[in-house]
Amino acid sequence: MKKNKAQTIALYGLMVALAFVFSYFESLIPFNIGIPGVKLGLANLVVVVALYIMKPAQAFSIAIIRILLASMTFGNVYSLAYSLCGGILSFAVMYFAKKTKLSVIGVSMLGGICHNIGQIIVAAIIMETSKIAYYLPVLLVAGLLTGLLLGIVSKIVIDRFEKLNFSR
């Protein structure tokens, strides 16, 4: 089914709203496994799906709008800096990885890893020390695992869209 302009706008609004709701939901449920800074990243599920069912610019703007809305609503200037850097790096890597033959799950895992790398870069700049990089292996494992989980769910959602012959 070829989308008309109204369907595209409706899908775009739905994706932004869903990403924002997932951010809010995640802020309510403390995901504390004893590792500071580790989150599931539920809103990134929407970004991964959008990358596959929408145009790249639309998926990128969903990611940025969600980050801005969430930071203004439940965050601060530091959470904005961490999220923007992580989100932009993550999206860029996922965009280029998608162009290869890497699976949705692999793309999502790379996104999770790169999001944490971006956040470590910001943390090193803000804290004015590179010693924060010692925490990177922990965050890489966390990004890999959450990326795997979100990638599996993303694949299921994308497959459902494909069954509807939903094209860009």
Side-chain angles (χ1 to χ4, degrees), residues 36-47:
V38 174
K39 296 187 338 181
L40 283 174
L42 293 175
N44 294 325
L45 168 69
V46 177
V47 175

Side-chain angles (χ1 to χ4, degrees), residues 37-93:
V38 174
K39 296 187 338 181
L40 283 174
L42 293 175
N44 294 325
L45 168 69
V46 177
V47 175
V48 172
V49 171
L51 187 58
Y52 281 85
I53 69 165
M54 300 176 81
K55 293 178 181 172
Q58 294 169 327
F60 181 71
S61 62
I62 288 168
I64 298 303
I65 291 168
R66 192 271 312 165
I67 290 168
L68 292 172
L69 287 173
S71 294
M72 288 188 293
T73 307
F74 354 100
N76 55 42
V77 72
Y78 293 109
S79 65
L80 175 63
Y82 288 119
S83 295
L84 266 179
C85 189
I88 290 170
L89 179 61
S90 173
F91 186 87
V93 169

